[in-house]
């Protein structure tokens, strides 16, 4: 990401920038919800969204051939998807979501643009909740259609970890692994939100629930407090870091928090716990609960 592009932008910054003549900002609603919540992000977008925003569908912008949820798509697929949203090579993309936490899925879209080479991308700090709280207008209906652009994408493979990478790392400990799921799921005492998956964690991984990085207002904590959270958990921000969660959504919020602390080379385990539980040997599913049985 260029030095001119902040990872987080405020409601005030966005409102002023959208009013500026010749603004190149493209606003994208990247809301996504766990299936068991029975919420339809696209329907909620049509009911209420930031004016001039488009909907970024994490499930559609994915590798549709994979049995896992919203895995990264091939670079040409991402390029076509961004092009249809009207994103140009010089666009400053601002993503947000409508989580009550203030951020949940929008950092996933932030990371996706970055991993495909588009540096000018930010997350709206506090999301739709902050936008409404500050008295800004919303609109309803479908997003405006855009003329396709000449957007190109190139995957930075160094920022994506595979199952095999994580298996090797259990022994080599080449990089730290931070799991963003709630503590109960990490420990194995609370259920996973997906069927056929028991809770637990990858051997040697460190748990920092993603909500730890957010204030009660939904805004991200300042960098000094973010650094303290990583330090307290035993994470060295001077060393390689990989983040994970259930399906690599809130993991990206942890990546953003690390970015705010100056660590801009964080990798993401794209398969997440969903893949690890499916493929790992029972002894590599660490759990205080049922664990995994052959």
């Amino acid at each position: 990401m260029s030095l001119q592009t902040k990872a987080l932008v405020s409601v005030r910054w966005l409102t002023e920038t959208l009013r500026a003549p010749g603004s190149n900002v493209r606003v994208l609603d990247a809301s996504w919800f766990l299936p068991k919540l029975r919420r339809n992000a696209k329907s909620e977008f049509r009911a209420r969204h930031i004016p001039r925003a488009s909907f970024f569908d994490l499930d559609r912008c994915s590798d549709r051939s994979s049995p896992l949820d919203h895995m990264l798509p091939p670079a040409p697929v991402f390029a076509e998807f961004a092009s249809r949203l009207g994103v140009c090579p010089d666009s400053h993309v601002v993503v947000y979501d409508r989580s009550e936490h203030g951020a949940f899925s929008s950092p996933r879209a932030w990371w996706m643009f970055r991993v495909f080479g588009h540096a000018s991308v930010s997350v709206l700090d506090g999301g739709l909740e902050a936008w409404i709280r500050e008295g800004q207008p919303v609109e309803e209906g479908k997003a405006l259609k855009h003329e396709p652009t000449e957007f190109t994408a190139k995957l930075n493979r160094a920022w994506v970890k595979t199952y095999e990478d994580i298996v090797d790392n259990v022994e080599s400990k080449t990089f730290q692994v931070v799991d963003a799921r709630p503590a109960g799921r990490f420990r194995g005492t609370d259920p996973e939100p997906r069927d056929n998956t028991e809770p637990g964690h990858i051997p040697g991984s460190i748990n920092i629930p993603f909500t730890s990085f957010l204030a009660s207002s939904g805004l991200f904590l300042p960098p000094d407090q973010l650094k303290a959270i990583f330090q307290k958990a035993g994470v060295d921000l001077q060393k390689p870091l990989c983040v994970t969660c259930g399906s690599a959504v809130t993991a990206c919020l942890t990546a953003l928090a690390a970015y705010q602390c100056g660590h801009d080379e964080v990798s993401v385990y794209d398969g997440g716990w969903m893949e690890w539980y499916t493929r790992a040997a029972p002894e590599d599913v660490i759990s205080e609960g049922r664990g995994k049985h052959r």
Side-chain angles (χ1 to χ4, degrees), residues 42-182:
K42 185 174 289 188
S43 296
E44 292 190 25
F45 171 85
R46 291 172 179 167
R48 185 170 63 173
H49 57 263
I50 292 176
R52 294 159 53 185
S54 296
F55 183 69
F56 186 97
D57 192 328
L58 288 176
D59 285 327
R60 291 196 62 82
C61 187
S62 66
D63 181 357
R64 306 302 292 278
S65 68
S66 173
L68 301 171
D69 291 347
H70 42 253
M71 294 285 284
L72 281 175
V77 173
F78 184 84
E80 180 183 3
F81 193 86
S83 171
R84 287 190 279 106
L85 291 174
V87 179
C88 300
D90 65 346
S91 294
H92 182 165
V93 178
V94 175
V95 293
Y96 74 91
D97 64 70
R98 57 191 63 238
S99 168
E100 65 276 12
H101 298 296
F104 182 82
S105 54
S106 52
R108 171 70 181 187
W110 168 82
W111 179 76
M112 289 176 71
F113 274 99
R114 293 186 68 233
V115 81
F116 281 114
H118 190 81
S120 187
V121 57
S122 307
V123 171
L124 176 63
D125 201 8
L128 185 64
E129 292 285 325
W131 179 268
I132 293 172
R133 188 167 61 244
E134 295 194 26
Q136 298 302 324
V138 293
E139 64 182 18
E140 60 181 30
K142 296 182 180 180
L144 297 175
K145 289 189 176 181
H146 297 275
E147 289 294 325
T149 64
E150 295 296 326
F151 189 90
T152 59
K154 182 178 180 180
L155 179 64
N156 182 348
R157 295 189 179 278
W159 288 358
V160 185
K161 297 300 184 188
T162 66
Y163 171 77
E164 290 74 19
D165 292 330
I166 305 298
V167 169
D168 290 344
N169 190 68
V170 170
E171 294 297 329
S172 68
K173 297 178 174 58
T174 304
F175 50 85
Q176 305 161 101
V177 177
V178 173
D179 191 318
R181 290 175 299 152

Side-chain angles (χ1 to χ4, degrees), residues 30 93 128 209 214 241 264:
V93 178
L128 185 64
L214 302 171
L241 175 62
D264 60 356

Side-chain angles (χ1 to χ4, degrees), residues 11-26:
V11 169
R12 180 177 178 180
W13 180 93
L14 183 57
T15 55
E16 292 178 350
T17 303
L18 287 174
R19 294 191 192 109
S23 172
N24 68 339
V25 168
R26 287 291 299 116

Side-chain angles (χ1 to χ4, degrees), residues 220-287:
F220 272 78
L221 295 171
D224 60 334
Q225 293 185 37
L226 297 176
K227 290 178 182 178
I229 290 168
F230 281 113
Q231 184 177 21
K232 183 178 180 181
V235 177
D236 187 343
L237 290 173
Q238 303 302 313
K239 295 181 178 180
L241 175 62
C242 172
V243 291
T244 184
C245 62
S247 61
V249 173
T250 56
C252 297
L253 191 152
T254 303
L256 195 158
Y259 182 94
Q260 289 293 93
C261 299
H263 198 322
D264 60 356
E265 298 291 329
V266 176
S267 59
V268 172
Y269 174 27
D270 204 31
W273 182 249
M274 186 178 179
E275 180 180 43
W276 185 262
Y277 180 81
T278 301
R279 299 182 63 183
E283 60 268 24
D284 288 331
V285 173
I286 310 302
S287 176

